[in-house]
Amino acid sequence: MVKFGIGQGVLRQEDPRLLRGQGLFVSDINLPNQTYAIILRSPHAHAEIKSINIQKALSLEGVIAVYTGEDILADKLGVPGMPAKWKRPDGTPMKYRPQPPLALGRVRYVGDPVALIIAETLNQARDGSELVDVEYESIPSVTDTEQTIKTDSALVWDDYPDNISGQYQSGDADAVESALANASYVIKRRFVISRVFAQYMEPRGAIGVYDQREDRFTLHADVQYPHRVRQLLAEKIFSIPEQNIRVISRDVGGGFGTKGWQYAEHRLVLWAAKKIDRPVKWTCERSEAIQADEHGRDNVSEAELGFDSDGNIVGLRVNTIANIGAYLSAIRNLLAVFSNVGTLIGVYKVPTAHVTVKTVHSNTNPTAPYRGAGRPEATFIIERMFDEAAREMNIDPIKLRTQNMISSDSMPIQTVLGLNYDCGEFTKNQFEALQMSNYSEFAKRQKQSISQGKLRGIGIANPIERAASPAPDFAEIRFSTDGSATILMGTKSQGQGHETIYKQIIGDRLGLEPNEMRVIDGDTDRVAFGMGTMGSRSTVIGGSAVYFAAEKIITKATKIAAHQLEAAVEDIVFKGGTFFVAGTDKEIGIREVAKASFLVSKLPPDVEPGLYETATFSPVDDTYPNGSHVCEVEIDPETGVVKVLGYWVVDDVGIMINPTIVKGQIHGGIAQGLGQIMMEKVAYNKSDGQLLSGSFMDYAMPRADNFCTIEVKSNEVPTKRNPLGAKGAGEAGTVGAMPALMNAIMNALEPTGVTSIDMPVTPEKVWRAINVSSS
């Protein structure tokens, strides 16, 4: 029998209870004496609040309280704080504009919270919200990213002359200017990365509890970083010791970065629970979610890529306008903007590069990390530029990529944008992906499509991402007196299969079977510390922490085993969950050792009773998952419908703990990437800032029939930056999917003369582009 452990594609341990409806989400939690909250949100993109009358609402049966921004102000709640000290283009300091939990004087986007209504029942709270009378005076607004910096644009903040919050730069501007001035070819393109929303299975929710006897808060919420949420609430919002707040995050119905940190609703339910001395529950409606939550992406970039006469890259310049929405509340609102700028050079030998990102305010929801958090945007630009360069220079796009690709024997290498690529086989990834897709026979398939009146295209992308950035995370292995083990993790699962992979790591190291282990996360009272889950870090950092905790268990257990087996410690060998005395048939299992560890009579005199160890791991540098994606499409020019015919991936996520889970992560990521290219967009009316895509009636989501079979092959190149050799897999699919599909679409449209089309590439947009080009 093969031992349960690393490298096995075992089924997820979590799935049986979730598939039976036995998950425990925020919506499933109800507390004694609980009240219900509704948040009244602004119907205007930009308006002055002239008055708020709450008296009718307060007189309604069941309504307990109605609060406005003035009540929050009176109690002097804090703000999250901004560690980034960027400058604006004119050299003045970046302005910090945190969002108040409830609007003060002015609303700045459709959905801005205005009032909190609390009642005995949810329906009473809803009815109460309809009786709050708010008088607004509308103000001109701006929602279009490019429009924000134009001289005639409406201003989101009166003291911002141009809506530019700050500016981030990386690279050598002078060197790039010189390189492009002397280049044989300079390709210039403009790219729009549309605004999207996570659309997770379960909308957000929060329950606030205040215990007067202990002077202590408890927050139940579907957050990705429970300990960091506690820290922010304690230090920045309420100014109380951390131990006076407990954060509990149970099952999370998808997060994708959007449930990452601290929202206004978290502090509101806690603050209100103390005010009324009863638990307060807020559950976001599906129709409310796009108004209530942070959005993702929303960039416009101008890129220039220079080549010499032989087709070698000489320089890259990218200028980006990044829409961060109405407010800048925390560093989180800037993470996607700057943290993955370095991957703009992709897997290629770029001798010099310079990037400028201007963050702009608009009358829209704040933006924050969404699956990939800057990685898909960066990869989209460099991979689209390669296809555009190949077309303009009349060079095969595969040849152009191959000759400019970083070779495996040149790594480790520090790139011109400051990243340290440690390992990877980029050319092998591409070669194998092309073989999988039968790329060499594409011309024949294209002719067949043409004969049927269709357009056929193929696209490739070679993504690389910066993942698992250095920050510590925690693990504890705690054996019980019966020899079973509890694993407590500082990361937080949102559906990725953490329970399974952590058990696999422990099974591999300690020889335990799945039913002998239990995994706990998401509770700041039970888990000592944690940074949470984001950026493909859980296996890399959390997995390494549990690996080292297991090593400590083995070290202590070896001493106990030696005592039990009446042998010297140096003669003990541990393998597959059993301690052996070398050269003999004497042995004892780890569960028996664990049981003995609680009996002082069975311990050597220098060993403390019990078997439980902790470990905290922080890597020395990032990891760099990479791969190659090939996508093939067919377009009906009569309708503009794009059909994905084939999708092939070779991915290097380092050593895979569970190949089946990795494949699932890649499939899910590809679906989100293809969805953004084909149909997803948060849309606003440019004239008045009204949200036009507030529900699934207007915000299109991909379905199974929008896809084809996705074939995934792995090329495991282990990194030495953690003991597992893992690089991270959570965002890999999304990073490559966007450019691969867009390149395939543009390849298909090339015979029609269409040279540019912005995402989402809807049938109408494709049809119009073809007809405008041919007219």
Side-chain angles (χ1 to χ4, degrees):
M1 176 180 171
V2 178
K3 273 288 185 182
F4 175 76
I6 292 173
Q8 295 180 18
V10 298
L11 297 178
R12 301 192 335 163
Q13 301 285 301
E14 302 92 327
D15 287 348
R17 65 179 176 84
L18 293 172
L19 292 171
R20 294 182 186 123
Q22 295 172 340
L24 185 58
F25 300 89
V26 176
S27 296
D28 298 315
I29 301 170
N30 291 291
L31 305 176
N33 207 27
Q34 174 180 287
T35 63
Y36 295 83
I38 287 287
I39 293 175
L40 180 66
R41 300 184 182 278
S42 168
H44 299 276
H46 202 188
E48 294 283 356
I49 299 175
K50 307 302 290 184
S51 65
I52 303 178
N53 189 327
I54 65 173
Q55 296 309 311
K56 287 183 180 179
L58 284 172
S59 66
L60 186 69
E61 181 182 358
V63 172
I64 298 167
V66 179
Y67 297 114
T68 68
E70 296 297 330
D71 299 305
I72 300 288
L73 186 65
D75 281 5
K76 299 179 181 179
L77 296 190
V79 294
M82 174 53 63
K85 304 299 180 185
W86 293 5
K87 301 288 187 182
R88 286 179 16 90
D90 60 8
T92 58
M94 176 178 71
K95 296 185 179 181
Y96 173 47
R97 297 299 189 198
Q99 181 175 12
L102 297 173
L104 280 166
R106 185 180 288 195
V107 291
R108 288 184 165 84
Y109 66 91
V110 174
D112 212 349
V114 175
L116 178 71
I117 300 91
I118 302 170
E120 297 288 351
T121 70
L122 184 58
N123 283 336
Q124 288 171 334
R126 285 195 183 108
D127 291 344
S129 70
E130 294 179 1
L131 294 178
V132 176
D133 184 14
V134 185
E135 181 185 355
Y136 296 100
E137 183 179 312
S138 186
I139 301 171
S141 63
V142 59
T143 56
D144 181 79
T145 301
E146 283 188 293
Q147 181 65 35
T148 57
I149 62 172
K150 293 184 179 179
T151 54
D152 61 346
S153 174
L155 296 180
V156 181
W157 296 90
D158 292 341
D159 57 347
Y160 273 43
D162 49 17
N163 287 323
I164 298 175
S165 166
Q167 179 171 277
Y168 176 84
Q169 296 189 78
S170 180
D172 189 330
D174 292 338
V176 171
E177 179 66 31
S178 176
L180 295 181
N182 293 290
S184 299
Y185 306 95
V186 177
I187 289 79
K188 299 180 181 180
R189 294 292 185 273
R190 168 188 171 277
F191 300 112
V192 175
I193 311 289
S194 54
R195 176 177 285 243
V196 290
F197 179 64
Q199 299 290 14
Y200 20 65
M201 291 172 64
E202 183 197 31
R204 290 190 302 113
I207 306 174
V209 183
Y210 178 70
D211 187 328
Q212 283 195 1
R213 287 168 296 183
E214 293 190 1
D215 187 23
R216 194 164 192 255
F217 293 101
T218 298
L219 174 69
H220 298 266
D222 46 350
V223 295
Q224 298 174 214
Y225 329 141
H227 290 82
R228 292 163 67 189
V229 168
R230 178 184 67 170
Q231 180 184 16
L232 188 145
L233 286 168
E235 291 184 5
K236 300 294 186 179
I237 307 302
F238 293 108
S239 299
I240 58 177
E242 274 191 51
Q243 63 263 30
N244 285 22
I245 295 183
R246 179 185 186 184
V247 176
I248 304 172
S249 180
R250 303 296 291 264
D251 288 321
V252 177
F256 310 119
T258 305
K259 292 182 180 176
W261 211 339
Q262 208 280 316
Y263 277 93
E265 293 85 3
H266 299 154
R267 64 192 91 159
L268 283 175
V269 295
L270 292 175
W271 172 80
K274 185 175 182 179
K275 298 284 280 188
I276 67 171
D277 195 25
R278 290 176 64 181
V280 176
K281 180 174 184 176
W282 170 77
T283 303
C284 187
E285 302 286 347
R286 176 66 69 181
S287 59
E288 179 187 11
I290 297 184
Q291 297 179 49
D293 297 358
E294 292 165 327
H295 298 166
R297 318 280 196 240
D298 203 351
N299 300 336
V300 178
S301 295
E302 301 280 350
E304 298 173 79
L305 187 61
F307 293 85
D308 65 19
S309 58
D310 295 323
N312 299 310
I313 297 173
V314 297
L316 170 69
R317 178 161 56 205
V318 180
N319 292 304
T320 294
I321 305 170
N323 189 341
I324 61 170
Y327 299 99
L328 176 56
S329 295
I331 190 68
R332 159 176 179 76
N333 300 121
L334 300 176
L335 283 175
V337 171
F338 74 91
S339 60
N340 284 286
V341 156
T343 53
L344 272 165
I345 70 160
V347 298
Y348 305 106
K349 295 176 288 188
V350 179
T352 184
H354 185 258
V355 183
T356 301
V357 183
K358 291 183 175 68
T359 55
V360 298
H361 285 298
S362 68
N363 295 111
T364 63
N365 294 52
T367 54
Y370 165 67
R371 197 169 192 170
R375 303 160 177 86
E377 298 94 310
T379 299
F380 185 86
I381 290 171
I382 188 63
E383 290 296 330
R384 285 287 297 116
M385 287 298 286
F386 259 98
D387 264 32
E388 292 298 307
R391 190 173 294 116
E392 196 165 306
M393 296 162 61
N394 196 27
I395 299 176
D396 179 79
I398 304 303
K399 178 181 182 296
L400 188 63
R401 284 177 168 85
T402 303
Q403 78 176 71
N404 283 284
M405 205 170 279
I406 297 170
S407 63
S408 57
D409 58 10
S410 66
M411 288 183 278
I413 184 174
Q414 184 174 66
T415 72
V416 294
L417 291 179
L419 302 187
N420 298 302
Y421 294 178
D422 62 324
C423 62
E425 296 175 345
F426 308 146
T427 54
K428 181 180 178 182
N429 293 340
Q430 180 178 266
F431 176 77
E432 292 190 352
L434 293 173
Q435 279 196 317
M436 289 170 65
S437 67
N438 197 14
Y439 185 85
S440 61
E441 298 294 315
F442 169 72
K444 293 181 181 178
R445 301 192 295 273
Q446 188 177 43
K447 287 180 181 178
Q448 184 179 5
S449 292
I450 292 171
S451 70
Q452 297 171 356
K454 303 292 179 65
L455 304 169
R456 198 178 189 110
I458 194 165
I460 189 169
N462 295 310
I464 188 167
E465 55 170 313
R466 180 184 188 183
S469 293
D473 227 307
F474 170 86
E476 178 180 358
I477 301 172
R478 186 187 299 169
F479 276 89
S480 300
T481 55
D482 67 349
S484 62
T486 300
I487 305 159
L488 300 105
M489 300 299 306
T491 57
K492 180 72 200 91
S493 178
Q494 306 120 53
Q496 303 97 322
H498 289 188
E499 182 178 333
T500 304
I501 62 167
Y502 292 142
K503 285 184 177 182
Q504 286 184 260
I505 294 169
I506 296 299
D508 197 85
R509 298 305 302 141
L510 300 182
L512 296 178
E513 293 298 326
N515 61 356
E516 297 172 331
M517 295 176 274
R518 182 185 180 209
V519 176
I520 293 174
D521 68 5
D523 188 334
T524 59
D525 270 13
R526 301 166 84 182
V527 181
F529 168 76
M531 292 296 288
T533 291
M534 66 286 178
S536 301
R537 72 188 302 274
S538 294
T539 298
V540 175
I541 304 178
S544 295
V546 82
Y547 175 96
F548 283 118
E551 291 299 294
K552 293 181 180 179
I553 289 285
I554 293 170
T555 298
K556 182 175 182 178
T558 298
K559 295 179 182 179
I560 301 171
H563 186 73
Q564 290 292 297
L565 296 171
E566 299 179 331
V569 170
E570 54 270 21
D571 290 335
I572 299 297
V573 177
F574 179 67
K575 184 178 180 181
T578 302
F579 295 90
F580 303 88
V581 179
T584 75
D585 59 357
K586 298 173 68 176
E587 64 180 57
I588 185 172
I590 192 166
R591 290 197 62 174
E592 295 306 311
V593 172
K595 292 176 185 179
S597 72
F598 293 94
L599 303 173
V600 176
S601 61
K602 295 189 175 184
L603 296 177
D606 60 338
V607 172
E608 181 181 348
L611 192 59
Y612 18 75
E613 296 288 350
T614 66
T616 304
F617 176 76
S618 183
V620 296
D621 208 337
D622 307 282
T623 57
Y624 292 94
N626 59 87
S628 188
H629 293 221
V630 178
C631 180
E632 191 165 329
V633 302
E634 191 173 66
I635 299 175
D636 183 347
E638 296 298 319
T639 64
V641 171
V642 177
K643 183 177 182 180
V644 181
L645 300 176
Y647 204 100
W648 304 269
V649 184
V650 174
D651 246 319
D652 170 16
V653 299
I655 298 299
M656 296 182 291
I657 307 302
N658 186 313
T660 301
I661 289 179
V662 168
K663 184 175 287 189
Q665 285 289 298
I666 292 170
H667 280 196
I670 289 170
Q672 287 184 272
L674 299 189
Q676 178 161 3
I677 295 298
M678 297 175 73
M679 62 193 70
E680 293 188 51
K681 183 180 180 179
V682 177
Y684 293 90
N685 187 323
K686 290 186 180 181
S687 64
D688 61 8
Q690 276 300 313
L691 179 65
L692 301 177
S693 55
S695 74
F696 286 143
M697 293 293 289
D698 307 295
Y699 187 102
M701 288 284 287
R703 305 180 306 182
D705 60 358
N706 294 118
F707 303 116
C708 61
T709 299
I710 299 171
E711 297 183 32
V712 180
K713 182 179 180 180
S714 294
N715 178 24
E716 293 178 285
V717 181
T719 178
K720 295 181 180 178
R721 291 178 175 169
N722 63 77
L724 299 172
K727 295 178 179 177
E731 284 138 317
T734 311
V735 179
M738 287 168 55
L741 175 56
M742 186 62 93
N743 281 339
I745 291 170
M746 296 309 299
N747 180 245
L749 292 174
E750 187 174 354
T752 70
V754 175
T755 59
S756 177
I757 191 166
D758 291 335
M759 65 180 80
V761 186
T762 61
E764 180 188 4
K765 196 179 289 186
V766 173
W767 182 85
R768 289 189 181 279
I770 291 172
N771 283 273
V772 168
S773 179
S774 60
S775 62

